[in-house]
């Protein structure tokens, strides 16, 4: 109730001081506009994130987990879209055979690395969910283990 009284008294004050031909509601809307003032934007401080914080293994692996998750999900989405469009496995094999070897290698690498990394880092998160390896030493050890397992897993997938 108090907020309503303050609001109505504010509108009344604006109405008394408003220029001719401008409604009080227009003045209130101008005061509460969400559009930024161009001059205020010039003097706004920049985010200190890149200047204060150093890149570390922990935040790099976290960002990489999100990126590889999106990439892997996108790949599965495209595969499902191709299947729904009637593109069967025989047609996909013919398409893959027509691609030049270096491009085929890069495409295979582009699938193997994100899939391996996201899988092994997902297992790392399951270990964390069980309450283990949550101290700083454990986080770094599991991070390096994920990178090593990603390298081995990528080589294994590339050999298929």
């Amino acid at each position: 109730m108090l907020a309503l009284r303050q609001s109505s008294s504010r509108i009344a004050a604006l109405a008394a001081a408003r220029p001719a031909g401008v409604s009080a509601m227009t003045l209130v809307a101008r005061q509460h506009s969400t559009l930024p003032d161009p001059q205020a934007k010039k003097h706004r401080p920049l985010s200190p994130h890149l200047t204060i914080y150093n890149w570390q293994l922990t935040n790099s692996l976290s960002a990489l987990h999100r990126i590889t998750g999106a990439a892997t999900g996108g790949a599965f989405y495209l595969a499902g879209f191709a299947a729904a469009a009637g593109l069967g496995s025989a047609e996909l094999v013919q398409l893959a055979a027509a691609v030049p070897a270096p491009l085929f290698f890069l495409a295979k690498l582009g699938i193997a690395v994100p899939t391996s990394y996201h899988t092994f880092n997902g297992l790392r998160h399951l270990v964390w969910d069980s309450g283990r390896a949550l101290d700083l030493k454990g986080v770094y050890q599991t991070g390096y283990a994920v990178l090593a397992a990603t390298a081995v897993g990528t080589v294994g997938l590339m050999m298929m």
Side-chain angles (χ1 to χ4, degrees), residues 29-73:
R30 285 182 191 165
Q31 273 191 339
H32 295 291
S33 174
T34 58
L35 296 174
D37 179 22
Q39 295 301 322
K41 189 174 183 180
K42 289 180 185 176
H43 303 292
R44 190 169 40 191
L46 298 175
S47 170
H49 178 60
L50 297 177
T51 58
I52 291 177
Y53 302 111
N54 294 326
W55 283 102
Q56 299 173 354
L57 181 70
T58 52
N59 63 351
S60 299
L61 294 182
S62 175
L64 196 57
H65 187 72
R66 292 170 188 252
I67 292 167
T68 56
T72 304

Side-chain angles (χ1 to χ4, degrees), residues 8-34:
S8 61
S9 65
R10 190 172 183 194
I11 291 173
L14 284 172
R18 74 178 183 263
V22 178
S23 74
M25 293 308 288
T26 302
L27 289 176
V28 171
R30 285 182 191 165
Q31 273 191 339
H32 295 291
S33 174
T34 58

